[in-house]
C-alpha cells in the first residue's frame, strides 16, 4: 500500500497528464469526434511521422530555452513571466548583429550573433531583476509589462529603421546565408536549434546539481534571510538569475531568426515565452526534465493541425487540453502529499511519531 | 497633426477613447477587487473571453442582449471560482493558475464558438446594445458626445466604478476585503473568513472581466471572434498598477490606455511618418515609471500573491 502510494506520488506528473488527456477526450467526444482516433493521430503525427517530428523539433527549441529561462530564476524564487519579451529583444539583437556581420567569417560571426542575442535578452531581464533587487518592485509585474514594450520595439524596428527596402509589409532584410543554422533533418525545417536547447538544459542541470553557483541560487530561493546570513549577496543573485534566464530566452529568439525565420518581423515568436512557462511548471522547475516537457508541448501543438485535417476535430481543442493539463499538473504538484500520506495512514497512525503527522512545511 | 486639433476631431477621438477603454476598465475593476483580496488575477484575459462567448451565445439563444450579459457574467464567475479553487483550495501558484485559465478559456471558447455557435444558431452575428444619448448631458460641448452618447454597458461601468470604490473604502465588506489582502492572519484573528472573502472577490473579479467581454461582443463587434480579448486582460493588469490599486484610479488608467490606443489608430492612418508604436508602448512604460517613481507610496496589497494557510506559522 505504502509502496503504491510512493509510486503514485513519484509519478504524479505523468498521472496528472493522463488524467488531463482523459478529461480532454470528453471535449473531443462533445465535438462529436472519436477521442481514441484523435489522440492516435495527434501523437502519431507529432512524434512518429518524419515531417511531423521535424515540425515538433522546430517548436521544441524555443519552448525548451524559454522553459529554462523560467526555471533558473524560479530556483532563486523569482517568477520570470517575461520570456516572450526577452525572445523579442534577443531576436532583435541577433538580427542587427547578423546584418552587420555580412562577409565576416562564420567562425567569428556566428558566436558574435549568438552572444548578441543572449546579451539582449539578459539586459532586458536584468532590468526586472535590478528593480526587484534594489527597489523591491515585483518582478512578475515588471516582466509582464516589458513583454509588451519589447514586442512593440520590434514592431517599430521592422517598420522603421530596419525595414527591408521595397518590402510590402514590415520585415527586415534576410540575414546572410552563411549565418543560417544547418538543417538537422534533410528536406525539413528542423534546424540545429534543438542542440542548443539540450546543451543549455544539460549545463543548467549540472550547475544546479554540482556547483556552488547553483547551490547559492537554490538557497536564495528557499530563504533570502538564510542566504544573507550565509554571506551570499542576495541582490546579486536576483539580478544574476534573472539575467541568466533572460540570456536563455534571448538565445531562443536569436535561434528562431538564425534557424527558421531568417529575418525579423512583427510577432515573429508565436507565444513561445508563455509555452515556456507551462513547460517549466510541468517539470516542477527541474532543468533535466525540461526537454521532455517541451518536446511534449511542441508535439501537442504540431499534431493539432493534422488532427483537425484528418479527424475533423477542431485544432483549438488542443489549446483547451493544454490548459487542462496545466491545471491538473499544477494541482498535483501543489497537493500536500504529506497530508495525503498522513490521511491514508490513519489506520496505523500509532506507529508514526506525531512529528511526522503534524505539518512540516511552513510558509 | 492639425487634424487632431479641431473640436470635432477631438470629440470623435474622446468618444473612441471611451469606447476602447470600457472593456479594459471592467477588467481592471475586476483586477483591483482580486488583488485587494490578496490574489493576482492573471486570468482576466481568459475571463474576458468567457464573458464574450457567453454574451454571444446568450444573445443568440434568447434574442436579448441583457440575457447575453447574464450568461457572460455567469461564465466569468465560473472562471473566477476556478481560479479560487486552484489557487486557494489547491494552493496552486496564482500566476500558473491564471495562465492555465487563459489557455483553457482561449481554447475552449474557440472550440465552442466553431462547434456550437455555428451549428446551433446558424448565424454568428448578434443584435447588441445601441447607443443611448443621455438627454441634457449629451449636449455638453466635446465631452457630451464622448461620455454621454454611449451604450448601456459604458454607463454601467461609470456607475459600477463609483460603487466599487464606495464598497471597498466605505463599507464593512470592503474593510474585510482589504484586510484579507493586506494581512490575512490578522483578519482571520478578527473573525474574517479569509477563504470566503477571497472566493467572493474572485467571483466578482470574473464577473467584471466578463462584462468587459460582453462589451466587446454586444457594443463593439456584434459577434464573437476567437481571441477577441487581444491582450486586454493584460493591459487591465497594467491599469491596476497605474491606478495604484484604486478602483477609480484603475478605470482612469484604462481611459488613458484607451486614449493611447485611439491615438495610435488615428496616427497609423493620418500620419504614417510618426511611429505609432510610441502610443502602444506608452501605457506600459507609464505603468513601469509609476512603479518606480511612486515606490513606497504606491504598493500592491501586502499579501497579494501569497497562499494563506490557517495552520501555518
Amino acid at each position: 500500500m505504502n509502496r503504491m502510494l510512493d509510486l503514485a506520488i513519484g509519478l504524479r506528473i505523468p498521472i496528472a497528464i493522463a488524467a488531463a488527456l482523459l478529461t480532454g477526450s470528453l471535449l473531443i467526444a462533445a465535438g462529436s469526434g472519436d477521442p481514441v482516433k484523435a489522440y492516435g493521430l495527434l501523437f502519431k503525427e507529432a512524434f512518429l511521422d518524419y515531417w511531423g517530428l521535424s515540425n515538433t523539433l522546430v517548436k521544441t527549441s524555443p519552448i525548451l530555452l524559454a522553459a529554462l529561462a523560467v526555471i533558473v530564476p524560479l530556483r532563486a524564487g523569482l517568477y520570470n513571466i517575461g520570456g516572450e519579451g526577452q525572445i523579442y529583444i534577443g531576436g532583435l539583437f541577433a538580427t542587427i548583429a547578423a546584418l552587420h556581420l555580412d562577409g565576416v567569417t562564420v567562425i567569428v560571426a556566428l558566436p558574435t550573433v549568438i552572444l548578441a542575442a543572449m546579451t539582449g535578452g539578459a539586459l532586458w531581464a536584468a532590468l526586472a531583476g535590478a528593480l526587484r533587487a534594489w527597489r523591491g518592485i515585483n518582478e512578475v509585474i515588471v516582466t509582464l509589462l516589458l513583454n509588451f514594450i519589447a514586442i512593440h520595439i520590434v514592431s517599430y524596428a521592422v517598420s522603421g529603421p530596419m525595414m527591408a527596402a521595397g518590402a510590402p509589409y514590415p520585415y527586415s532584410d534576410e540575414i546572410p546565408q552563411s549565418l543560417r543554422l544547418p538543417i538537422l533533418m534533410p528536406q525539413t525545417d528542423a534546424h540545429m536549434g534543438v542542440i542548443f536547447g539540450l546543451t543549455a538544459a544539460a549545463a543548467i542541470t549540472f550547475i544546479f546539481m554540482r556547483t556552488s553557483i547553483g547551490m547559492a541560487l537554490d538557497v536564495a530561493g528557499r530563504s533570502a534571510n538564510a542566504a544573507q546570513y550565509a554571506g551570499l549577496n542576495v541582490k546579486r543573485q536576483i539580478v544574476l538569475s534573472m539575467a541568466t534566464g533572460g540570456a536563455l530566452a534571448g538565445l531562443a529568439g536569436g535561434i528562431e531568426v538564425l534557424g527558421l525565420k531568417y529575418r525579423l518581423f512583427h510577432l515573429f515568436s508565436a507565444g513561445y515565452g508563455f509555452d515556456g512557462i507551462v513547460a517549466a511548471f510541468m517539470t516542477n522547475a527541474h532543468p533535466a526534465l525540461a526537454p521532455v516537457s517541451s518536446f511534449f508541448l511542441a508535439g501537442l501543438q504540431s499534431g493539432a493541425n493534422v488532427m483537425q485535417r484528418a479527424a475533423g476535430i477542431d485544432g483549438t481543442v488542443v489549446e483547451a487540453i493544454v490548459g487542462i493539463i496545466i491545471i491538473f499538473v499544477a494541482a498535483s504538484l501543489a497537493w500536500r502529499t504529506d497530508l495525503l500520506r498522513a490521511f491514508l495512514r490513519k489506520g496505523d497512525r500509532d506507529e508514526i511519531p506525531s512529528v511526522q503527522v503534524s505539518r512540516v512545511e511552513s510558509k | 497633426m492639425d487634424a487632431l486639433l479641431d473640436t470635432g476631431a477631438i470629440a470623435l477621438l474622446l468618444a473612441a477613447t471611451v469606447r476602447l477603454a470600457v472593456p479594459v476598465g471592467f477588467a481592471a475593476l475586476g483586477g483591483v477587487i482580486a488583488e485587494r483580496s490578496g490574489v493576482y488575477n492573471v486570468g482576466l484575459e481568459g475571463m474576458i473571453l468567457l464573458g464574450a462567448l457567453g454574451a454571444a451565445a446568450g444573445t443568440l439563444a434568447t434574442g436579448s442582449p441583457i440575457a447575453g450579459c447574464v450568461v457572460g457574467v455567469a461564465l466569468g464567475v465560473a472562471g473566477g471560482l476556478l481560479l479560487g479553487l486552484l489557487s486557494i483550495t489547491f494552493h496552486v501558484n496564482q500566476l500558473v493558475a491564471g495562465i492555465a485559465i487563459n489557455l483553457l478559456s482561449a481554447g475552449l471558447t474557440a472550440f465552442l464558438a466553431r462547434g456550437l455557435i455555428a451549428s446551433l444558431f446558424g448565424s454568428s452575428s448578434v443584435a447588441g446594445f445601441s447607443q443611448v444619448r443621455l438627454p441634457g448631458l449629451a449636449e455638453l460641448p466635446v465631452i457630451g458626445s464622448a461620455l454621454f452618447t454611449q451604450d448601456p454597458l459604458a454607463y454601467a461601468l461609470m456607475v459600477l466604478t463609483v460603487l466599487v470604490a464606495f464598497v471597498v473604502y466605505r463599507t464593512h465588506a470592503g474593510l474585510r476585503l482589504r484586510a484579507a489582502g493586506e494581512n490575512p492572519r490578522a483578519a482571520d484573528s478578527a473573525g474574517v473568513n479569509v477563504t470566503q472573502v477571497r472566493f467572493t472577490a474572485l467571483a466578482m473579479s470574473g464577473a467584471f472581466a466578463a462584462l468587459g467581454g460582453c462589451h466587446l461582443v454586444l457594443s463593439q463587434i456584434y459577434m464573437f471572434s476567437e481571441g477577441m480579448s487581444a491582450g486586454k486582460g493584460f493591459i487591465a493588469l497594467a491599469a491596476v498598477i497605474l491606478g495604484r490599486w484604486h478602483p477609480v484610479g484603475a478605470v482612469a488608467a484604462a481611459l488613458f490606455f484607451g486614449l493611447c490606443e485611439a491615438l495610435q489608430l488615428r496616427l497609423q492612418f493620418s500620419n504614417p511618418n510618426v511611429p505609432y508604436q510610441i502610443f502602444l508602448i506608452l501605457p506600459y512604460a507609464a505603468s513601469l515609471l509609476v512603479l518606480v517613481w511612486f515606490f513606497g507610496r504606491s504598493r500592491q496589497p501586502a499579501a497579494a500573491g501569497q497562499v494563506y494557510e490557517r495552520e501555518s506559522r
Side-chain angles (χ1 to χ4, degrees):
Chain A
M1 175 66 207
N2 284 341
R3 284 183 63 189
M4 287 282 288
L5 185 64
D6 286 336
L7 192 68
I9 289 171
L11 289 176
R12 57 191 161 157
I13 295 177
I15 290 172
I17 292 172
L21 291 176
L22 213 60
T23 313
S25 66
L26 296 178
L27 273 182
I28 296 175
S32 58
D34 176 357
V36 179
K37 190 180 161 210
Y39 279 135
L41 274 168
L42 177 78
F43 288 110
K44 186 167 155 275
E45 169 66 20
F47 302 115
L48 301 175
D49 177 83
Y50 182 77
W51 300 98
L53 181 67
S54 76
N55 202 359
T56 302
L57 284 181
V58 166
K59 291 178 194 294
T60 302
S61 24
I63 296 179
L64 172 53
L65 285 165
L68 295 170
V70 175
I71 288 174
V72 174
L74 194 58
R75 294 293 282 256
L78 299 162
Y79 291 96
N80 178 14
I81 308 297
E84 189 73 355
Q86 291 142 23
I87 287 175
Y88 275 86
I89 299 296
L92 176 69
F93 274 49
T95 313
I96 294 174
L99 291 177
H100 281 88
L101 291 172
D102 198 1
V104 179
T105 171
V106 186
I107 304 153
V108 179
L110 192 60
T112 314
V113 171
I114 284 170
L115 201 66
M118 295 179 78
T119 309
L123 288 175
W124 202 243
L127 194 57
L131 286 174
R132 166 67 196 246
W134 280 286
R135 308 223 69 173
I137 300 169
N138 192 313
E139 79 283 358
V140 173
I141 299 171
V142 176
T143 49
L144 191 69
L145 293 173
L146 287 175
N147 279 341
F148 296 99
I149 298 180
I151 290 171
H152 294 311
I153 286 177
V154 167
S155 162
Y156 165 68
V158 295
S159 61
M162 287 174 71
M163 189 163 167
Y169 68 98
Y171 54 68
S172 76
D173 282 319
E174 283 206 332
I175 58 165
Q177 200 85 38
S178 60
L179 285 174
R180 297 178 189 178
L181 294 182
I183 296 294
L184 211 55
M185 295 166 68
Q187 320 245 296
T188 71
D189 283 338
H191 52 79
M192 299 277 289
V194 75
I195 309 279
F196 284 88
L198 290 173
T199 312
I204 287 161
T205 306
F206 176 79
I207 287 171
F208 277 113
M209 286 176 73
R210 290 270 182 273
T211 71
S212 60
I213 305 168
M215 174 77 180
L217 283 182
D218 264 342
V219 172
R222 277 158 211 256
S223 166
N225 286 339
Q228 194 111 44
Y229 189 70
L232 293 169
N233 184 340
V234 175
K235 286 185 168 55
R236 212 183 65 186
Q237 304 284 343
I238 289 174
V239 179
L240 199 71
S241 65
M242 284 300 282
T244 309
L248 291 161
L251 179 61
I255 283 176
E256 197 65 4
V257 171
L258 293 177
L260 186 67
K261 310 282 206 260
Y262 304 140
R263 56 162 46 121
L264 195 66
F265 49 87
H266 182 45
L267 298 182
F268 77 95
S269 160
Y272 290 130
F274 297 103
D275 295 332
I277 299 173
V278 176
F281 276 96
M282 278 171 71
T283 68
N284 201 11
H286 207 300
L289 294 175
V292 181
S293 67
S294 307
F295 187 59
F296 177 73
L297 267 186
L300 282 184
Q301 292 183 1
S302 79
N305 294 329
V306 176
M307 194 179 79
Q308 177 160 356
R309 262 182 282 130
I313 295 150
D314 205 284
T316 49
V317 77
V318 169
E319 210 178 327
I321 291 173
V322 171
I324 298 174
I325 289 177
I326 308 164
I327 289 175
F328 277 51
V329 169
S332 79
L333 287 174
W335 209 326
R336 299 291 311 278
T337 48
D338 53 334
L339 288 184
L340 184 70
R341 279 176 207 274
F343 177 75
L344 286 172
R345 286 175 193 169
K346 238 179 203 163
D348 46 23
R349 175 175 269 179
D350 296 344
E351 297 164 26
I352 303 170
S354 58
V355 176
Q356 268 195 356
V357 180
S358 76
R359 303 283 299 275
V360 188
E361 210 179 294
S362 70
K363 185 109 193 176
Chain B
M1 294 294 275
D2 291 343
L4 291 175
L5 295 176
D6 72 86
T7 46
I10 289 177
L12 277 178
L13 187 72
L14 288 182
T17 298
V18 174
R19 199 169 53 249
L20 291 166
V22 171
V24 178
F26 272 121
L29 272 186
V32 168
I33 296 170
E35 290 192 27
R36 281 288 180 178
S37 82
V39 184
Y40 284 125
N41 189 352
V42 184
L44 286 173
E45 178 81 3
M47 293 171 200
I48 294 177
L49 277 177
L50 289 172
L53 181 79
T59 311
L60 282 169
T62 63
S64 150
I66 294 174
C69 283
V70 172
V71 178
V73 166
L75 287 183
V77 167
L81 291 178
L82 178 60
L83 179 60
L85 182 72
L86 290 170
S87 67
I88 301 169
T89 311
F90 288 141
H91 298 175
V92 172
N93 180 289
Q94 293 173 0
L95 307 170
V96 178
I99 291 168
I101 287 174
N102 285 339
L103 281 171
L104 181 64
S105 308
L108 203 58
T109 54
F111 182 64
L112 291 176
R114 286 187 196 181
L116 288 181
I117 291 196
S119 62
L120 282 186
F121 306 114
S123 138
S124 59
S125 65
V126 297
F129 292 115
S130 44
Q131 291 181 343
V132 180
R133 283 174 65 88
L134 292 190
L137 290 170
E139 313 306 324
L140 291 171
V142 186
I143 61 158
S145 59
L147 283 178
F148 302 112
T149 313
Q150 291 286 347
D151 67 291
L153 281 173
Y155 298 129
L157 175 63
M158 297 175 199
V159 175
L160 284 169
T161 307
V162 177
L163 196 68
V164 169
F166 178 80
V167 170
V168 168
Y169 288 103
R170 291 281 180 271
T171 67
H172 196 69
L175 184 63
R176 287 190 304 183
L177 175 82
R178 286 181 287 138
E182 290 292 346
N183 193 337
R185 193 161 308 283
D188 197 0
S189 312
V192 175
N193 185 339
V194 175
T195 304
Q196 196 189 342
V197 167
R198 288 185 172 180
F199 261 104
T200 313
L202 286 178
M204 290 182 62
S205 183
F208 276 104
L211 278 174
C214 294
H215 185 266
L216 286 176
V217 167
L218 299 172
S219 309
Q220 288 194 20
I221 321 277
Y222 299 107
M223 65 179 286
F224 177 84
S225 71
E226 288 166 29
M228 70 190 304
S229 50
K232 291 191 167 58
F234 296 114
I235 296 176
L237 287 176
V240 173
I241 300 160
L242 191 59
R244 300 168 73 184
W245 291 271
H246 191 291
V248 177
V251 174
L255 278 171
F256 169 63
F257 290 4
L259 177 67
C260 289
E261 178 81 17
L263 276 173
Q264 71 88 7
L265 285 173
R266 175 156 303 194
L267 268 182
Q268 272 197 60
F269 293 105
S270 65
N271 292 55
N273 296 329
V274 182
Y276 63 89
Q277 288 92 350
I278 289 176
F279 289 101
L280 288 172
I281 290 177
L282 199 58
Y284 304 108
S287 304
L288 263 184
L289 290 178
V290 164
L291 280 174
V292 177
W293 264 325
F294 287 115
F295 171 70
R297 279 176 291 156
S298 164
R299 56 167 194 83
Q300 61 177 351
Q306 290 170 14
V307 173
Y308 173 61
E309 293 176 76
R310 289 192 83 169
E311 314 100 284
S312 68
R313 281 168 293 275

